[in-house]
Amino acid sequence: MDRATDVRLAQCFIAVDDHDKALAFYCDVLGFEVRNDVGFEGMRWVTVASPEQDVEIVLEPPAASPDISPADKQAMAELLAKGVLRGVNFTTTDCDALFERVRAAGVDVLQEPVDQPYGMRDCAFRDPAGNMVRFLERPAD
């Protein structure tokens, strides 16, 4: 592949039902920064990111497309409420310290830190919308 055409991830999307609660979690608890927060066609476009990286997370309502039917919007909202939509994985240099910080904020714990057979140490939580958020610590070289 020609280096001039390298492709890099810019944004990923996480469905949220309350932007303010999501911002409190991603910014106040995890330490992310707001990169964009604007209204657009009756929706709120919010992006957050770790200060150390370029990839942004777009916090969007479930089924944000203006072309989706009301029944499909309702179905997506119900799936989000059940916590069955996909989540996101982050890396960290200290899984245990991050776990304690997030747990102390009262976030719903899914899994305490554990050493996985594939070499990672990880833990998991649910964000305020019910999405699974997993934190992975890579083994030291």
Side-chain angles (χ1 to χ4, degrees), residues 2-141:
D2 179 0
R3 288 275 182 208
T5 61
D6 279 353
V7 176
R8 296 175 188 257
L9 180 64
Q11 296 172 326
C12 62
F13 293 76
I14 295 178
V16 300
D17 55 359
D18 185 317
H19 282 97
D20 293 327
K21 287 180 183 177
L23 285 169
F25 173 72
Y26 287 98
C27 295
D28 298 343
V29 176
L30 297 184
F32 287 7
E33 61 188 18
V34 175
R35 300 269 176 92
N36 202 4
D37 187 347
V38 297
F40 179 72
E41 294 185 7
M43 294 184 294
R44 187 174 176 190
W45 181 268
V46 180
T47 57
V48 297
S50 167
E52 285 84 34
Q53 81 183 68
D54 294 333
V55 177
E56 298 175 334
I57 297 172
V58 179
L59 304 173
E60 68 173 359
S65 170
D67 299 322
I68 196 164
S69 74
D72 287 343
K73 281 186 181 184
Q74 180 63 34
M76 290 295 293
E78 290 171 6
L79 290 171
L80 178 63
K82 291 179 182 180
V84 296
L85 297 181
R86 295 310 241 152
V88 64
N89 292 353
F90 297 100
T91 59
T92 181
T93 56
D94 189 339
C95 182
D96 294 280
L98 187 132
F99 175 82
E100 292 303 328
R101 185 175 85 224
V102 176
R103 180 171 61 178
V107 177
D108 184 22
V109 175
L110 293 177
Q111 175 198 306
E112 294 194 8
V114 64
D115 292 322
Q116 298 292 353
Y118 46 85
M120 298 281 193
R121 181 166 182 79
D122 68 0
C123 63
F125 297 90
R126 290 221 182 272
D127 75 2
N131 298 296
M132 183 182 65
V133 181
R134 183 171 295 279
F135 300 96
L136 312 165
E137 180 182 343
R138 292 189 168 103
D141 291 333

